[in-house]
């Protein structure tokens, strides 16, 4: 194979296209093979007069996501802030409470407040010992990877209120249940997004912004720059490599010869490819142990932003059974106030149970839930409804990202982005900064491109990994913790303290009595 | 598509070939497409003058495995009994103890004996409520599926001795770690093999016999009966179906048209196929949640059966760190006493850690471990060594069988053998009697064939599932439990009882004292 053969990129999502762009700019020829009839992978923007445009897949960006913010700016794509100017809503046990953006949900039980403060603080503190590039090297890696997040909650939470909220917290952040996910993996995930506050916040967090015109533009504009080098409708079914080069075969029987190849698809979808030579034992089994999460995106359109009139911004946390399919919503009205809408997610077990309903049935359930939470029948009268079930996508496998059951990360994680001969690995799952997001897709794609440039002798090894400069237009403000957040005891600590106080009180009372009367 | 188009079977392991044979005998034309250059799937018999023949994959059969015993007899393949006429060996903490076949390992601590009796009894009792054909319908299905087997051990075991032994028990039975496996799945697995004693025993259990000449003969003889209808070197990369028929495409671009198709490959390997139309949301995600177990088979050949001279039959349970790679062995000498050998398994985490060693390094470790356990340097002098790493097999994914992490069985299990249009599912993973074994492969293959005969109108619905008659040449003897096995308390129960006795004793003493002196 001549060294002029292109680099083959499998997958025209944001990660693969970012890899291709980086290579092209280094004057390396590329060809991008995409299974679907469109680019974008897990990002998908629908354009339709009824919605103008709507992101049915990955959509949110925020400060500290420096990779995606830099690339979007370069492509001329602007962001807007998600509407958060009024109260958040917290619905549970048939009752609605309000709270201010940036504060904890309104929990009135003081023990539960201690408990919530403690669990979030603990997640962040445990995260500090986890290296983002190698979570299996954390001092407690084995212990934490052998536990599910649910076991951690059972061991740590004192109140049902906080255990329930923490289950919602993992549902929303990684589209998995607490009982499925490795504790180590979830702690790593939160850490590499910047912590519990960064990942869960709108303002100053992961949900601060969306792209004007939709996130699919990133892939479309990247593909446009690649001038016809993206080949659609070309699922790769086989990759053969030897010391001379690589051959990729597509489902329709075409053959592409390359010097190197980048797999910019999630680990579980790499199972769709027949490899010659076979993968290593560990990689062969890793691909079977990183299933994609379970999510459906739902957008309900209304005539008016009636929730704003009631003093709500549209951000809702809704706890309940399957009659409340969506635990987390945001306002999805366009920035100019047109197309009033609320967006939400059906996640994990709820989606697994509700996936067999019709869209119309789900729409009814969702609107009834919104009506209860917002306290108005106006929620029952949507003018339009959109939903997109990522579970059913053969070429995504699910969303938002891969999840790891107990043990997978410590026993197989080292193989995740370890090159195999002429084959390199991109995809947001291989990232270390907002892995699972568009930001991670770009970080991983560009890194894989530089790995190949290094293999070609075009750059030195120290240039493979690079620190992305802070995107100064949208800088992240550090989250400050209050004295009380840092120092309030856990419920256990509080109860010990109270027992001590009681014991000391009793003892000093006894001493006083003794001193006064008994001498 | 004419109704004369053959039924396509994907996979020429025992399950696919059994399906094809059943269809052929019902005068339905078939074509079997096999990815490898051989038949047999997870069974593989190596013939070589150094070993005569040796099973490097599935090998053992025993009473109650009525499907495989019937088919083997029909094919003229004989069984022989695994040698078990002397003592078993239990090695732990640098010390070797002997015990008799059929009894529990020699645990001297009476609390640990109570504890062991209790955990095995509990696994069997909990199994009683699990329907083998639908474990997700068990009364406690959700509770047990959200736990790992390790959590159950932590909740149930009082002694480290029994917790360690139980971890070995799951390693050996399903090639997984206690912390990976859903409790519900493991309980189901044990139950559908007939319980803890049936699955773990040699005589009267799953390891009673092997096939003279090796288990690969089953597939070879089945394939021979199919007279050239098995096509090797044909990995299926795509399946398209509509109301008229099915098309399967192979990696080399050939197209096979069929009336129906049977997938006789494990769930995770079905990911290798591109489906048109796409699978349902649940099936699309099920295939990502049933990874194959982790096992390497090792056979060490010696000049003499020196262990028999020391009064051991060759069945060993060896507990220890990575310097003891193999936790479970059996004699693998040929029935006439030739080719003296010990066979064992490297499993789960130990294999994941040791897979990167060379075969020579593993051989050293294994022989040193055997030398310690058997107390003789003769174990250090093998005349030959065989090993086979199922982790590295692209077209098995691992072995013995698929495993389920927490949640997969209750949320996705219903899809396991639910037909999808013209597509039906075989493979030992879809069986309900010794699933994971050759027996399950045959049960599942034949059932899938009858599902198609029913779809063709050739049989009635009630003929799809049939009870396999007991194979009377090798009948299973029911395991009897002793009065003590049934009635001994758990450690917890024992301690409660002892406290009661102590309290009652103290109370009656006090009463006596009161009666005697205080009145």
């Amino acid at each position: 194979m001549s060294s002029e053969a292109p680099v083959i990129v499998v997958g025209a999502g944001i990660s693969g296209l970012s890899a291709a762009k980086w290579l092209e700019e280094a004057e390396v020829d590329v060809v991008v093979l995409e299974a679907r009839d469109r680019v974008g992978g897990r990002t998908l923007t629908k354009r339709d007069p009824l919605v103008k445009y709507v992101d049915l897949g990955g959509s949110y960006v925020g400060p500290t996501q420096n990779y995606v913010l830099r690339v979007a700016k370069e492509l001329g794509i602007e962001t807007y802030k998600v509407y958060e100017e009024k109260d958040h809503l917290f619905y549970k046990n048939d009752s609605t409470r309000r709270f201010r953006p940036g504060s904890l949900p309104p929990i009135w039980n003081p023990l539960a407040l201690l408990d919530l403060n403690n669990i979030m603080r603990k997640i962040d503190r445990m995260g500090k010992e986890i290296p983002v590039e190698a979570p299996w090297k954390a001092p407690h890696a084995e212990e934490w990877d052998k536990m599910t997040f649910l076991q951690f909650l059972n061991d740590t939470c004192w109140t049902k209120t906080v255990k329930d909220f923490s289950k919602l917290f993992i549902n929303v952040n990684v589209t998995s249940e607490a009982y499925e996910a490795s504790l180590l993996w979830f702690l790593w995930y939160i850490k590499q997004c910047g912590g519990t506050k960064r990942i869960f916040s709108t303002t100053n967090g992961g949900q601060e912004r969306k792209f004007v015109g939709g996130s699919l533009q990133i892939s479309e504009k990247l593909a446009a720059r690649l001038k016809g080098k993206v080949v659609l409708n070309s699922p790769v079914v086989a990759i053969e490599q030897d010391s001379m080069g690589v051959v990729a075969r597509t489902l329709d029987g075409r053959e592409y010869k390359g010097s190197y190849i980048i797999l910019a698809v999630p680990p579980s979808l790499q199972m769709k490819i027949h490899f010659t030579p076979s993968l290593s034992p560990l990689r062969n089994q890793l691909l079977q142990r990183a299933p994609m999460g379970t999510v459906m995106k739902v957008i309900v359109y209304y005539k008016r932003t009636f929730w704003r009139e009631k003093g709500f911004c549209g951000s809702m946390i809704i706890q309940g059974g399957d009659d409340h399919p969506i635990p987390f919503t945001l306002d999805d009205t366009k920035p100019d106030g047109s197309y009033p809408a609320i967006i939400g997610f059906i996640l994990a077990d709820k989606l697994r149970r509700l996936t067999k309903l019709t869209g119309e049935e789900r729409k009814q359930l969702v609107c009834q839930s919104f009506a209860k939470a917002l306290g108005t029948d106006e929620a029952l009268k949507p003018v339009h409804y959109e939903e997109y079930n990522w579970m059913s996508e053969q070429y995504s496998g699910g969303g938002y990202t891969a999840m790891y059951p107990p043990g997978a990360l410590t026993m197989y994680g080292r193989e995740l982005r370890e090159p195999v001969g002429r084959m390199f690995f991109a995809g947001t799952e291989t990232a270390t900064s907002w892995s699972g997001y568009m930001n991670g897709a770009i970080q991983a794609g560009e890194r894989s491109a530089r790995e190949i440039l290094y293999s070609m002798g075009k750059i030195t090894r120290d240039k493979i990994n690079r620190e992305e400069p802070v995107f100064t237009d949208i800088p992240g403000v550090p989250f400050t913790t209050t004295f009380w957040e840092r120092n309030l005891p856990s419920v256990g600590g509080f109860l010990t303290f109270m027992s001590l106080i009681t014991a000391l009180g009793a003892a000093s009372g006894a001493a006083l009595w003794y001193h006064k009367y008994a001498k």
Side-chain angles (χ1 to χ4, degrees), chain A:
Chain A
M1 178 104 13
S2 90
S3 64
E4 260 94 289
V7 171
I8 301 167
V9 178
V10 180
I14 292 177
S15 199
L17 293 168
S18 297
K21 169 174 177 278
W22 197 275
L23 287 166
E24 279 267 303
E25 289 174 356
E27 293 173 358
V28 173
D29 193 21
V30 298
V31 58
V32 184
L33 303 176
E34 168 56 42
R36 291 181 166 105
D37 60 0
R38 63 169 182 85
V39 297
R42 280 168 271 171
T43 55
L44 173 59
T45 304
K46 178 175 178 176
R47 285 101 180 196
D48 183 304
L50 288 168
V51 301
K52 195 171 174 188
Y53 64 87
V54 59
D55 282 342
L56 299 173
S59 185
Y60 293 94
V61 287
T64 77
Q65 297 184 355
N66 299 311
Y67 291 90
V68 65
L69 292 171
R70 183 241 307 154
V71 169
K73 184 174 183 179
E74 187 188 331
L75 297 171
I77 304 167
E78 295 189 345
T79 65
Y80 70 91
K81 282 192 173 184
V82 171
Y83 182 81
E84 206 196 20
E85 281 157 39
K86 300 195 173 192
D87 285 346
H88 284 224
L89 182 156
F90 183 67
Y91 179 86
K92 192 184 169 183
N93 302 334
D94 299 326
S95 107
T96 292
R97 299 174 194 168
R98 347 182 134 244
F99 64 110
R100 300 298 307 153
S103 66
L104 288 174
I107 294 174
W108 291 342
N109 173 347
L111 283 188
L113 266 181
L114 287 185
D115 209 17
L116 182 61
N117 182 62
N118 180 59
I119 190 111
M120 294 296 153
R121 183 175 61 187
K122 200 161 177 182
I123 290 171
D124 287 330
R125 282 187 186 165
M126 290 165 84
K128 284 202 203 310
E129 75 162 60
I130 302 176
V132 290
E133 75 293 348
W136 43 88
K137 289 187 180 168
H140 294 86
E142 285 216 15
E143 179 189 338
W144 296 347
D145 202 32
K146 289 180 180 173
M147 293 173 70
T148 63
F149 185 60
L150 180 62
Q151 279 177 269
F152 170 73
L153 294 180
N154 288 339
D155 292 350
T156 309
C157 294
W158 287 73
T159 62
K160 185 169 182 304
T161 302
V162 172
K163 203 184 282 185
D164 288 347
F165 179 78
S166 301
K167 288 178 185 173
L168 181 148
F169 184 75
I170 188 172
N171 286 169
V172 171
N173 284 310
V174 295
T175 64
S176 296
E177 293 296 334
Y179 68 79
E180 308 179 86
S182 151
L183 171 61
L184 177 68
W185 169 66
F186 186 59
L187 293 173
W188 168 81
Y189 194 88
I190 297 291
K191 193 252 177 82
Q192 56 93 40
C193 291
T196 54
K197 292 188 179 182
R198 188 73 71 189
I199 196 175
F200 207 60
S201 294
T202 301
T203 302
N204 202 25
Q207 287 67 243
E208 184 177 284
R209 289 158 188 273
K210 301 184 70 153
F211 291 115
V212 179
S215 62
L216 183 59
Q217 296 172 100
I218 297 178
S219 296
E220 290 171 332
K221 294 192 175 197
L222 287 171
R225 289 201 178 190
L226 292 165
K227 305 170 215 76
K229 292 183 172 172
V230 181
V231 190
L232 300 178
N233 300 305
S234 300
V236 169
V237 297
I239 292 174
E240 290 152 33
Q241 60 163 314
D242 61 22
S243 61
M244 302 299 284
V246 183
V247 177
R249 278 175 221 284
T250 56
L251 189 50
D252 57 3
R254 277 168 297 149
E255 252 187 44
Y256 292 84
K257 294 184 178 174
S259 53
Y260 296 92
I261 192 163
I262 294 173
L263 295 194
V265 300
S268 66
L269 290 195
Q270 295 171 29
M271 284 292 290
K272 292 258 175 235
I273 300 167
H274 300 244
F275 295 97
T276 308
S278 299
L279 299 174
S280 74
L282 287 166
R283 188 162 191 94
N284 189 38
Q285 292 212 318
L286 164 69
L287 304 189
Q288 303 173 54
R289 284 166 167 82
M292 300 301 285
T294 304
V295 60
M296 174 185 278
K297 206 160 183 178
V298 171
I299 307 100
V300 191
Y301 293 84
Y302 292 102
K303 214 171 153 189
R304 308 178 310 128
T305 54
F306 60 87
W307 52 94
R308 295 187 188 178
E309 291 159 30
K310 301 186 68 135
F312 293 115
C313 66
S315 299
M316 299 192 271
I317 292 173
I318 301 175
Q319 288 190 311
D322 284 355
D323 50 339
H324 293 288
I326 292 180
F328 183 81
T329 72
L330 291 166
D331 187 299
D332 206 44
T333 309
K334 297 287 179 296
D336 63 2
S338 63
Y339 302 91
I342 289 178
I343 194 167
F345 304 87
I346 310 183
L347 299 156
D349 277 357
K350 278 190 185 173
L351 180 53
R352 292 163 189 149
R353 287 189 296 260
L354 299 176
T355 186
K356 289 194 173 177
L357 299 187
T358 63
E360 186 60 31
E361 287 168 325
R362 275 187 296 268
K363 174 178 147 185
Q364 296 298 331
L365 277 179
V366 166
C367 289
Q368 282 159 15
S369 170
F370 287 180
K372 283 181 190 162
L374 287 162
T376 167
D377 282 355
E378 205 161 344
L380 298 175
K381 293 161 202 147
V383 295
H384 183 64
Y385 175 80
E386 293 281 347
E387 63 171 34
Y388 203 85
N389 190 356
W390 289 90
M391 273 183 94
S392 61
E393 290 288 298
Q394 178 162 218
Y395 294 118
S396 293
Y400 325 130
T401 187
M403 65 85 60
Y404 292 92
L409 208 51
T410 45
M411 297 312 299
Y412 297 96
R414 286 171 181 81
E415 309 302 315
L416 194 56
R417 58 177 172 271
E418 188 64 28
V420 176
R422 296 177 169 271
M423 184 157 62
F424 294 80
F425 301 102
T428 192
E429 281 75 15
T430 67
T432 60
S433 167
W434 294 91
S435 169
Y437 290 72
M438 295 183 275
N439 189 73
I442 294 172
Q443 184 207 23
E446 294 181 348
R447 184 257 311 139
S448 71
R450 289 192 300 270
E451 286 177 315
I452 288 176
L453 295 179
Y454 167 67
S455 293
M456 291 174 161
K458 289 176 183 272
I459 61 172
T460 53
R461 179 184 277 279
D462 61 300
K463 293 287 185 298
I464 294 176
N465 293 305
R466 61 191 274 286
E467 193 67 32
E468 178 72 20
V470 170
F471 186 78
T472 47
D473 302 5
I474 302 174
V477 181
F479 283 100
T480 52
T481 51
T482 65
F483 173 82
W484 290 112
E485 283 173 343
R486 288 192 303 275
N487 293 295
L488 275 177
S490 67
V491 174
F494 176 72
L495 293 179
T496 308
F497 177 74
M498 288 306 289
S499 321
L500 262 177
I501 290 287
T502 312
L504 281 174
S508 54
L512 199 69
W513 178 87
Y514 178 80
H515 183 77
K516 202 162 176 182
Y517 301 101
K519 274 210 287 206

